[in-house]
Amino acid sequence: MSDGDGFINEVSEELRRDRMTALWKRWGPWIIGAVVLAVAAAAVLNWRDSQREAAAREAGEALELAAERQDPGARADAFADIADAAEPGPALVARLSQAAALDEAGDEAGALGALAMIEQDGAADPLYRALAGFKTAMIQAREASPSQRIDLFAPHAAPSSPFRLLALEQLAVARFQLDDLAGARADAEAARDDPLATPALQDRLGQLLILVEAAEDGA
């Protein structure tokens, strides 16, 4: 390599160093700031995750302790305290458990009130709201006539309802009690033949269909 080539290379290298120095002076603080922000954001996310995990563990332990209480009234009070203080997920579980404990204690009005809090919570998961609505219908159906039970469970028998099959079972029973044998058969067969029907549900509906056939033969 000639002296001229060596000189040109040295000049080129010097120019590159000058260019890198100028770029670093201009953008270096921003790069450092971005790195610091990224590290800080990762630290915050890790802290939040650890806080959520700790809160979930604490709520789970509290739910277990509340469930161990023998007296349903005391159990309901314990679940209510958790529902008021916990994060949304555990709070919904606690509220449902509170409603069940109140119902066990004979306080149907209190149970319905707890379930209504879930149904009216627009931020609650739709599945929890649907479950609260179905449980409400089950409680109200105890003292209802067959026609009233049809009104209670018809909304839960919609194709989009997660409790459609159980609602169809209730409708089939109510229609059978009203001597609507065709309607009872249609609801019972629709639920029995659904791929999601459990063996227990299929057995119950099979027994009901035997009664429907017997009534049809005797008509």
Side-chain angles (χ1 to χ4, degrees):
M1 182 176 64
S2 66
D3 292 340
D5 291 338
F7 175 75
I8 291 173
N9 287 338
E10 288 179 8
V11 171
S12 298
E13 183 64 26
E14 188 67 27
L15 288 173
R16 279 195 295 271
R17 283 197 295 268
D18 290 343
R19 189 177 299 111
M20 289 299 297
T21 300
L23 288 172
W24 180 253
K25 287 181 179 179
R26 181 176 181 182
W27 299 108
W30 294 97
I31 295 173
I32 293 173
V35 171
V36 171
L37 285 175
V39 172
V44 169
L45 289 175
N46 287 334
W47 177 81
R48 290 178 61 184
D49 288 342
S50 64
Q51 291 294 105
R52 289 195 189 99
E53 291 177 3
R57 284 196 300 270
E58 183 179 347
E61 292 172 357
L63 288 169
E64 289 180 4
L65 289 174
E68 291 174 357
R69 300 199 176 193
Q70 297 299 314
D71 179 66
R75 197 160 66 245
D77 290 340
F79 282 128
D81 291 339
I82 298 170
D84 292 336
E87 293 293 318
L92 288 171
V93 174
R95 193 68 73 191
L96 285 168
S97 301
Q98 176 198 6
L102 287 169
D103 189 33
E104 182 182 346
D107 185 0
E108 289 190 1
L112 292 174
L115 293 171
M117 293 178 68
I118 299 174
E119 282 192 90
Q120 296 166 8
D121 184 357
D125 186 291
L127 180 60
Y128 282 102
R129 296 174 66 185
L131 176 57
F134 188 77
K135 284 183 171 291
T136 295
M138 290 294 291
I139 292 174
Q140 294 174 333
R142 293 170 186 163
E143 304 298 329
S145 66
S147 59
Q148 289 172 329
R149 293 205 304 277
I150 289 175
D151 292 337
L152 286 171
F153 289 107
H156 300 285
S160 60
S161 171
F163 302 100
R164 174 175 178 271
L165 301 185
L166 294 177
L168 284 173
E169 178 186 21
Q170 296 296 324
L171 290 175
V173 172
R175 295 190 200 283
F176 177 74
Q177 291 173 331
L178 290 173
D179 291 328
D180 179 6
L181 301 182
R185 173 179 289 280
D187 287 337
E189 289 180 345
R192 182 199 61 186
D193 298 338
D194 192 285
L196 296 179
T198 64
L201 177 61
Q202 290 175 333
D203 287 344
R204 294 198 303 270
L205 292 169
Q207 293 298 319
L208 176 60
L209 285 169
I210 291 174
L211 295 176
V212 171
E213 290 174 3
E216 289 172 336
D217 291 340

